[in-house]
Amino acid sequence: MQIIRFELRAEFITLDRLLKATGLAASGGGAKSMVADGRVQVDGRDELRKTAKLRAGQVVSLAGARIRLLPPGSAAALPLEGADPVPPPAG
């Protein structure tokens, strides 16, 4: 399963825009179709609202992928998966 960490740029992003921004949908229309067909879950529950507002901490799931929403400015502080954390410089 592909796990995507998506850093928000604002307080929220709509579900259809998230699917397009992550490349899981080729277009906005494709994203809306995925949601309308019931193929997307938010926090473990089916989500049928194409423009549902998603906020940091929520998890979006669909076949083969899971997206974790991060607050603005947080992605740079996270280590890459499987990488050893870098110790702070000696000083």
Side-chain angles (χ1 to χ4, degrees):
M1 173 176 287
Q2 180 182 12
I3 299 177
I4 300 168
R5 291 181 174 154
F6 186 87
E7 181 182 349
L8 296 172
R9 293 184 181 170
E11 179 184 349
F12 68 87
I13 187 170
T14 60
L15 181 54
D16 59 335
R17 288 185 180 178
L18 175 68
L19 295 174
K20 185 177 175 188
T22 56
L24 296 173
S27 66
K32 290 176 182 179
S33 177
M34 292 169 72
V35 176
D37 291 345
R39 296 187 289 169
V40 181
Q41 292 185 328
V42 175
D43 295 334
R45 296 186 177 174
D46 291 340
E47 182 58 77
L48 298 174
R49 297 174 297 155
K50 300 169 192 83
T51 58
K53 291 180 181 178
L54 305 173
R55 292 177 168 78
Q58 291 190 286
V59 177
V60 177
S61 304
L62 59 152
R66 181 167 289 165
I67 308 163
R68 179 170 303 280
L69 297 171
L70 304 173
S74 64
L78 292 175
L80 297 174
E81 278 192 39
D84 291 328
V86 177

